[in-house]
Amino acid sequence: MRDRNSAGWSYIINDTTGDERGGFGFADDEDRIGLGLDYGGKDGGEAIYLYASNDIAYLLMNTNTNDRVRQRAVLWHETKNDLTQIKIGDKTTDERLVLRTVGEKAVISYKADGKNKNILE
């Protein structure tokens, strides 16, 4: 049994060896809810995560590199900051290509040689 940092509930799905393979939970403190589906094995991590609260909603798709989980595709929206973005990653960076809108401003950028370069501003 673990102590919770807020009122709510969660449902965890384990495989036959007891490793977590997914979960679904709700926290009352910020009306937030999440659903995660995990890779299996000793290096497993979240493959897909779906999250929603009053101010933020996002979908993450990750890859398991056996040393850490990397974001490969992200669809993100923040209502308070009027920010919407799509990020696509590869095996070396989580932000190879980014499409971002903030308010009425849009930016498309990519990362090359460790530096962000804008395609459109």
Side-chain angles (χ1 to χ4, degrees):
M1 183 76 118
R2 293 184 189 175
D3 290 336
R4 297 188 59 90
N5 60 6
S6 67
W9 57 266
S10 61
Y11 181 75
I12 305 297
I13 301 167
N14 295 330
D15 63 17
T16 57
T17 65
D19 289 329
E20 182 179 332
R21 294 302 304 276
F24 182 59
F26 174 78
D28 285 333
D29 63 342
E30 296 175 10
D31 265 348
R32 53 193 168 116
I33 193 162
L35 170 67
L37 302 174
D38 301 349
Y39 290 106
K42 69 179 185 71
D43 296 315
E46 284 186 334
I48 298 171
Y49 188 69
L50 180 62
Y51 175 91
S53 71
N54 291 334
D55 297 323
I56 298 173
Y58 60 85
L59 169 67
L60 303 176
M61 290 179 278
N62 300 313
T63 187
N64 185 1
T65 62
N66 294 325
D67 59 348
R68 70 184 196 118
V69 173
R70 297 201 60 86
Q71 295 177 2
R72 291 313 271 273
V74 177
L75 178 57
W76 181 280
H77 176 70
E78 293 179 31
T79 302
K80 228 183 230 183
N81 298 322
D82 196 17
L83 165 70
T84 302
Q85 62 185 356
I86 298 170
K87 298 191 305 184
I88 299 172
D90 59 24
K91 66 181 181 178
T92 60
T93 180
D94 295 343
E95 296 188 355
R96 181 62 64 202
L97 181 63
V98 178
L99 169 61
R100 178 177 292 130
T101 63
V102 180
E104 296 179 11
K105 193 174 181 185
V107 175
I108 299 174
S109 64
Y110 69 98
K111 188 174 279 188
D113 301 323
K115 296 179 182 176
N116 289 328
K117 299 180 181 187
N118 288 347
I119 299 169
L120 170 73
E121 283 187 77

